[in-house]
Amino acid sequence: MDDTNLADALVELRGTFDDAFAHPYSASAQAVENILAIRVRDDAYALRLTEIAGLVDGRTIVPVPSPLPALLGVVGVRGQVVPVYDLGFVLGYAPATTVPRWMVQLRQDEVVAVAFDAFEAQQRLTTEAGETEGGTLPDSATGRHLAGVARTDRLRPILDLASVYEAVRRLADEAKAGQRGRVAAAQ
């Protein structure tokens, strides 16, 4: 590169650098959301890290007697006994044929975890990366428990874990009411 081209390149770089500071900072353009990319059965989903108290891998889930097919059992996490529910079942899939290896503890008042089939990645999405234009969602994304869509390697429905938690609570309350009804009828 001769001196003239080098001088032109430096002027262009200096102009680009100065222009970057000439415009006000736009926080919305820099918005970042952290997600976990997961699989429920064979479908891709995303979970917001802000809704998760912890990711748990490979713990033995101890089955407990329950009328709830969604309840896989309990697991010990940080000195607590945590009930573990099948996320797929809560989303409307058939019950799991094998015990899922992965689970997340939900960030709720009550200690609860949901298990899923595969953890794929933790990713940081910018607002631009999270846009949903173009592409299609998997057929499984029916709108139930969905909070949005993340564009990663594919479009992934983002699950609303507060909604999932409420569904688990309803299932548990219905099972308790059913048990009370059977006990009352037997007396």
Side-chain angles (χ1 to χ4, degrees), residues 60-152:
T60 300
I61 298 173
V62 179
V64 294
S66 172
L68 269 176
L71 181 63
L72 297 172
V74 295
V75 67
V77 178
R78 296 184 197 124
Q80 293 183 307
V81 176
V82 179
V84 180
Y85 293 86
D86 178 4
L87 180 57
F89 188 86
V90 174
L91 295 176
Y93 292 86
T97 56
T98 60
V99 177
R101 172 182 170 181
W102 295 93
M103 63 193 86
V104 290
Q105 190 171 337
L106 304 183
R107 192 177 297 262
Q108 296 291 330
D109 294 336
E110 191 174 339
V111 180
V112 173
V114 291
F116 49 91
D117 300 288
F119 165 70
E120 294 182 332
Q122 185 271 325
Q123 297 176 322
R124 297 186 73 169
L125 303 177
T126 62
T127 303
E128 181 178 299
E131 292 175 359
T132 62
E133 294 178 17
T136 58
L137 289 172
D139 293 337
S140 61
T142 61
R144 198 162 111 194
H145 307 299
L146 298 184
V149 179
R151 181 185 297 267
T152 59

Side-chain angles (χ1 to χ4, degrees), residues 34-58:
N34 293 306
I35 64 155
L36 292 183
I38 67 165
R39 285 208 172 270
V40 176
R41 305 311 184 257
D42 290 326
D43 295 324
Y45 286 94
L47 306 175
R48 289 187 169 119
L49 259 58
T50 56
E51 297 181 313
I52 296 169
L55 175 66
V56 181
D57 169 32

